[in-house]
Amino acid sequence: GDSVTQTEGLVTLTEGLPVMLNCTYQTIYSNPFLFWYVQHLNESPRLLLKSFTDNKRTEHQGFHATLHKSSSSFHLQKSSAQLSDSALYYCALSLGYKLTFGTGTSLLVDP
Amino acid sequence: EAAVTQSPRNKVAVTGGKVTLSCNQTNNHNNMYWYRQDTGHGLRLIHYSYGAGSTEKGDIPDGYKASRPSQENFSLILELATPSQTSVYFCASGPRGNTLYFGEGSRLIVV
């Protein structure tokens, strides 16, 4: 079946360093939608960015990601981490009516 | 901004008891979803609905029922609650295959 893999459970960074959170997916369908959701402590998940266009960079709030269908990847990046980026990040896959989420990556940014 | 509200926000239930989690959305979205969130598992889909009167099984439906009596309301029902159902439950609504808007979450403890 369809699935999303986030290999890192916890990423710890020093403020100012670049961020890269990995996301790969599996599906037999050729036109998936990919999403990144962010969940801060004691809040609900909210959309960070999304894409369905192959090899096109999408950006929001300093974060960016590019959907690469050739490698089934949608990694999340940011050039310089901020303390406020500390949160739980979910990659998700949509093929129609439902979203399938990965297990999430907790990002902890230290001063 | 999308508005999804859940009740109760916190619930302690006894094993074998019946629990109903309620969700209301004011966005006129056709699709509604129930997820549970557990450390190490991420967000897992329990049930979802295409519209009033419809319910569909998600990835982990066992032990749960759902009801969608109207466009605005979507309930999750645990007929015989078990300790393994202790979790945080999120309701969400959204257009087909697109951005989900999450409620605040309902924390359930089954003792």
Side-chain angles (χ1 to χ4, degrees):
Chain A
D2 307 314
S3 65
V4 175
T5 300
Q6 295 180 251
T7 53
E8 309 108 341
L10 173 66
V11 171
T12 304
L13 289 172
T14 300
E15 187 179 19
L17 290 181
V19 178
M20 180 161 172
L21 306 184
N22 291 315
C23 173
T24 57
Y25 64 90
Q26 276 192 307
T27 179
I28 62 172
Y29 297 100
S30 57
N31 294 306
F33 275 67
L34 271 294
F35 301 78
W36 277 100
Y37 280 77
V38 59
Q39 183 179 18
H40 287 93
L41 190 63
N42 297 323
E43 296 183 4
S44 55
R46 62 173 177 81
L47 179 70
L48 179 59
L49 46 78
K50 63 183 179 183
S51 179
F52 62 91
T53 305
D54 198 14
N55 297 318
K56 181 180 178 181
R57 174 169 160 148
T58 183
E59 300 188 38
H60 188 62
Q61 296 184 335
F63 287 91
H64 63 92
T66 303
L67 175 60
H68 292 295
K69 292 184 181 180
S70 61
S71 57
S72 298
S73 67
F74 191 58
H75 306 317
L76 183 67
Q77 299 182 69
K78 188 178 184 184
S79 59
S80 176
Q82 298 178 286
L83 295 177
S84 58
D85 294 331
S86 294
L88 178 59
Y89 291 81
Y90 285 108
C91 184
L93 166 70
S94 173
L95 301 167
Y97 287 100
K98 67 174 190 175
L99 261 69
T100 297
F101 288 84
T103 51
T105 297
S106 290
L107 176 63
L108 181 62
V109 181
D110 294 327
Chain B
E1 181 69 30
V4 180
T5 55
Q6 298 180 223
S7 63
R9 297 290 310 279
N10 294 281
K11 172 78 176 177
V12 178
V14 295
T15 298
K18 182 177 181 178
V19 176
T20 299
L21 304 179
S22 300
C23 179
N24 176 274
Q25 57 108 352
T26 59
N27 314 303
N28 200 32
H29 288 150
N30 286 335
N31 301 330
M32 296 187 74
Y33 308 81
W34 277 106
Y35 288 87
R36 63 177 284 177
Q37 181 178 42
D38 303 283
T39 302
H41 293 280
L43 290 161
R44 292 181 290 173
L45 183 63
I46 305 170
H47 285 288
Y48 60 105
S49 169
Y50 301 138
S54 89
T55 60
E56 302 291 332
K57 293 181 179 179
D59 299 320
I60 53 163
D62 293 346
Y64 303 92
K65 290 171 57 178
S67 174
R68 182 87 182 270
S70 65
Q71 178 81 339
E72 297 80 17
N73 295 295
F74 189 40
S75 297
L76 185 68
I77 303 149
L78 291 67
E79 294 278 6
L80 295 169
T82 68
S84 64
Q85 294 175 314
T86 292
S87 187
V88 179
Y89 293 85
F90 284 99
C91 176
S93 74
R96 179 181 184 277
N98 214 312
T99 306
L100 292 190
Y101 297 88
F102 285 86
E104 318 95 315
S106 295
R107 185 175 300 274
L108 173 66
I109 298 173
V110 183
V111 298

